[in-house]
């Protein structure tokens, strides 16, 4: 009966996550078709070795459920290191970085000097660069609803600015 209980709890949790994501989608305002680059890592104070989330990843799925478009959703790998030329070509509206080492929350960050090579990219020109802090953002689980809410908040912030 213990196994049944675990299965039952898993099903309940899955339903809770699905309904939370649906609710989040209903709360969106304006244009949700915002093109984002989802950065999971890069060299400190540099635009070298930018690693992004691609297709079939938890981040891609949640971002698209929130209504956004992942500019790297057509990669052959789930995660990949991308070069500056490719970022310029794909021209993200926003850049979202994930930072596990700080307190939870969303920060609208000013692009540092290292981003000057990407001045013609919409996200940098319009200072639409965000940091999602806290380890919940990169660990799939019940707190995926919080990540979806964060993505929704970012979309709403960008829509208000435009």
């Amino acid at each position: 009966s213990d196994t049944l209980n675990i299965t039952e709890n898993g099903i309940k949790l899955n339903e809770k996550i699905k309904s939370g994501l649906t609710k989040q989608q209903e709360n969106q305002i304006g244009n949700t078709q915002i093109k984002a680059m989802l950065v999971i890592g890069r060299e400190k104070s540099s635009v070298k070795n930018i690693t992004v989330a691609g297709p079939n990843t938890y981040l891609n799925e949640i971002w698209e459920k929130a209504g956004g478009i992942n500019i790297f959703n057509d990669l052959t790998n789930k995660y990949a290191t991308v070069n500056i030329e490719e970022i310029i070509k794909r021209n993200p509206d926003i850049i979202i970085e994930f930072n596990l080492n700080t307190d939870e929350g969303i920060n609208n960050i000013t692009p540092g000097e290292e981003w000057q090579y990407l001045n013609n990219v919409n996200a940098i020109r319009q200072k639409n660069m965000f940091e999602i802090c806290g380890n919940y953002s990169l660990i799939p689980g019940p707190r995926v609803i919080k990540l979806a809410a964060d993505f929704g908040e970012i979309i709403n912030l960008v829509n208000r600015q435009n």
Side-chain angles (χ1 to χ4, degrees):
S1 75
D2 219 17
T3 310
L4 260 155
N5 211 4
I6 292 169
T7 305
E8 212 170 279
N9 288 342
I11 292 169
K12 282 180 189 165
L13 179 61
N14 198 22
E15 290 307 312
K16 184 180 172 191
I17 290 170
K18 276 184 186 167
S19 80
L21 292 175
T22 302
K23 194 170 129 208
Q24 186 53 49
Q25 279 175 301
E26 291 163 0
N27 289 338
Q28 292 313 118
I29 58 166
N31 172 30
T32 57
Q33 297 295 292
I34 294 170
K35 298 186 315 182
M37 177 170 74
L38 307 173
V39 179
I40 58 164
R42 64 183 169 104
E43 275 183 35
K44 191 168 176 52
S45 303
S46 167
V47 289
K48 290 184 181 147
N49 295 319
I50 293 177
T51 303
V52 298
N56 304 314
T57 60
Y58 149 78
L59 292 174
N60 181 67
E61 187 179 336
I62 302 305
W63 177 247
E64 289 183 350
K65 275 201 182 347
I69 298 167
N70 177 0
I71 63 166
F72 288 107
N73 66 3
D74 61 344
L75 298 175
T76 49
N77 297 329
K78 289 181 174 187
Y79 301 96
T81 301
V82 295
N83 63 36
I84 289 182
E85 292 75 23
E86 198 58 36
I87 296 166
I88 291 169
K89 191 173 104 185
R90 293 175 186 241
N91 195 17
D93 299 317
I94 67 173
I95 295 171
I96 301 174
E97 290 198 273
F98 298 88
N99 185 343
L100 305 179
N101 306 321
T102 54
D103 292 340
E104 290 184 5
I106 303 171
N107 300 315
N108 192 176
I109 52 177
T110 303
E113 277 182 34
E114 69 268 25
W115 292 96
Q116 68 187 1
Y117 304 106
L118 294 162
N119 274 341
N120 291 333
V121 168
N122 288 342
I124 302 302
R125 201 174 56 243
Q126 295 162 358
K127 294 183 174 50
N128 279 334
M129 199 160 170
F130 297 88
E131 177 183 58
I132 295 181
C133 303
N135 64 4
Y136 72 93
S137 62
L138 292 180
I139 301 169
R143 298 178 71 201
V144 67
I145 297 166
K146 179 166 175 37
L147 178 62
D150 288 349
F151 281 163
E153 190 177 327
I154 289 170
I155 287 173
N156 289 341
L157 281 169
V158 171
N159 281 326
R160 275 190 217 106
Q161 287 168 8
N162 295 342

